[in-house]
Amino acid sequence: MRRTIGNTHSPHGKIGPQLLFFLVLSISLSATYAVWHNARQQAEQNLKTDFDFSVRETVARIEQRMATYEQVLRGARGLFAASVNVERDEFRNYVAMLQLEQRYPGIQGLGYSLIVPKADRDEHISAMRRQGFADYTIRPEGEREIYTSIVQLESFSGRNLRAFGYDMYAEPVRRAAMIQARDLGGTSVSGKVKLIQETDEQAQAGFLMYLPVYRNGLSHDTLAERRASIVGWVYESFHMDDLMVGIGGERAAELELEIYDGEAVSEQAKMYDSHGMPGNIHTQPPCFNTIRHIKIADHPWTLAIHSQPAFEARMSKGKPKLIAIVGIALSLLLSLLAWLLATGRTRALALAEDMTRELKESEMRFRLMADSAPVLIWMAGKDKRCFWFNKGWLDFTGRSMEQEIGDGWVQVVHADDLQRCIDCYVSHFDRREPFRMEYRIKRHDGEYRWIADVGIPRFDDSRNFIGYIGSGLDITEHKLTEEALRRANAELTRFAEISAHHLMEPVRRFTIYTQRLRQRLTELHEDQEIGISLDTLERDADHLRGLVRDIQLYLAAGEPHGILRLEDANAALTAVKQRLSSRWTDLEAIVMAGNLPQAMLDRPRLMDLFTEILDNALRYGRPVDAGSRPQVYISGERDGALSRYRISDNGAGIPVEYRRRVFEIFERLKPGSTEGSGIGLSIARRIVESRNGSIWIENAPQGGAMVVFELPDGKIKNDA
């Protein structure tokens, strides 16, 4: 009977360990798969972050390139606005100076389309044929109330000759963009078109950018005035494939870019596809896709961007592979361990004892590591209540774990920081986002110390939120150092201002007594050598006085000298003209100014800004031809919430490589020159940048240098 019972249980004793072995193996492999999958997701997420960054960078490059091309178009309109009639040679020379092919890839042509009323059509054609274009006519044929004709186009050769005389207004897509530009008075972009210059070989999608040209001297402030004073359009035509050359930078092969006209993705609207470029061959669906909508001159484009194999190859696969190998190995070992546990009670008990000891040692090592860490560590559950603090935190505050857990920790937070600290903690907790905040907590000795606290949300293997873990560092010394640096900088600035003030009086006395000495020596019939020495002393004194004055202006240029509001730039310029009238008279200079927009700047610094730039133009912008008179022209316009001003001369101009350096303090175009202090344009730059504006130098239309600066209507930097 006993043997029968023993025989009955023997098979179950063999089957039990086998089931346990496979059960443990399946659970371990499942856990390994979960960890491997998480590591792979993390690698994909890191790559997705890189993909999003590359997408933003590509979009920004497209927008920046089109904004640059818009400025080229505005320059062309400026040419027509500055002349009653732009001759063909003038337009050709102007466009040649732009170097479109080298500097602006994708522009097929830059041209001018003239409005030809129906009644003037025949006379216009005759006039053009008299200019030497015997086959000239307006295309396409047909009776229309209004014709337009491309009468200027550069380069005027090759395929561009096909567009000569073309009536773009007769084609609906182009006409819509031309009407929009005319009625709004700004830049507009057409939809997808096939350019007249296009051939059937290697055909590319195209589009055009328009800017209206109004009759000089007529107002175009209202819609009716704009429609009445329009005479034509300057425009740029683009080949999309050529326009996008180099837009992806060094990693162009890592992303596939498709551009569609409008807000819908369709084959008919596709304007560009980098898929056909070398290296852009995708045999499998891309890992990452995105759709971005942008507007070029208020015209919508849709960008479809996909990752390429070259980009996806950057994903780190080593860590997931290592996890899989180690996980499988551990799963086999753990399953073998379960087998051994099930087949030998003694061995199992001994092994369990060893494992228990190792777990205790592991827990002790973890506690030792956490309590020895030089940071304040805390943990909170899903209820926002903290349930654990490390020894570093407890030693720092001098409180027990029971006092700190829950919401007890807020008792050591400084009262002035408490609400801000809680608001930051709760808002990020609700959004499950990492945060960093700085606040003061009371140390065990009663002193409040600044803490930089970083909190990170915690999730389990199923991505379920389980709370936060955070760590804090004592940054009090860093805070004190920053404050000391701020005070030292303020004291240094104050010292420089006081030094400049005190230097001015000795310089003034130096000049006065030099003049008195000259007068006295004149009475005594001094010799010529003494007179030359006095001239040198008096000239050096004047130079030193000007240098000290410019240093004072430079130090004060960054702060308002009065109420910050929209100032009348015309009135400020009039005052500056009176201030510099003697200079203009001595140089026989011609100074012309248009109507200037208001500027968001205090009146004293606005006058200083005009003074420094005009003084620089009179000092260094003298014509190369000694028989010519210096000419300075001041103009400006409003562009949205921004005022733009231009001050140009007819001098020798400034080479491109020096245009940034001349804005640096004590930098001169001619090294070793003693003329001026070398600070004037630095003062102008400091004033403009204190208002978040920009200042730069361009070529003037008359061949000299043109200083351009922009002042936005926003807040000053100190209020930002």
Side-chain angles (χ1 to χ4, degrees), residues 417-430:
D417 303 333
L418 180 58
Q419 191 58 49
R420 174 174 55 82
C421 175
I422 292 176
D423 290 343
C424 179
Y425 176 81
V426 171
S427 62
H428 286 80
F429 199 105
D430 291 339

Side-chain angles (χ1 to χ4, degrees), residues 291-355:
I291 298 294
R292 297 295 174 92
H293 298 281
I294 64 173
K295 286 194 175 182
I296 306 299
D298 245 2
H299 185 82
W301 279 3
T302 299
L303 277 57
I305 305 176
H306 320 290
S307 60
Q308 289 283 46
F311 178 84
E312 295 162 8
R314 291 161 51 190
M315 184 171 67
S316 175
K317 299 180 181 179
K319 183 177 179 180
K321 183 178 181 180
L322 179 62
I323 290 174
I325 294 173
V326 173
I328 292 173
L330 289 178
S331 299
L332 293 173
L333 290 175
L334 188 59
S335 301
L336 179 60
L337 179 62
W339 172 273
L340 294 174
L341 285 172
T343 56
R345 185 173 181 276
T346 303
R347 192 165 52 246
L349 290 174
L351 184 59
E353 184 178 349
D354 292 339
M355 292 180 64

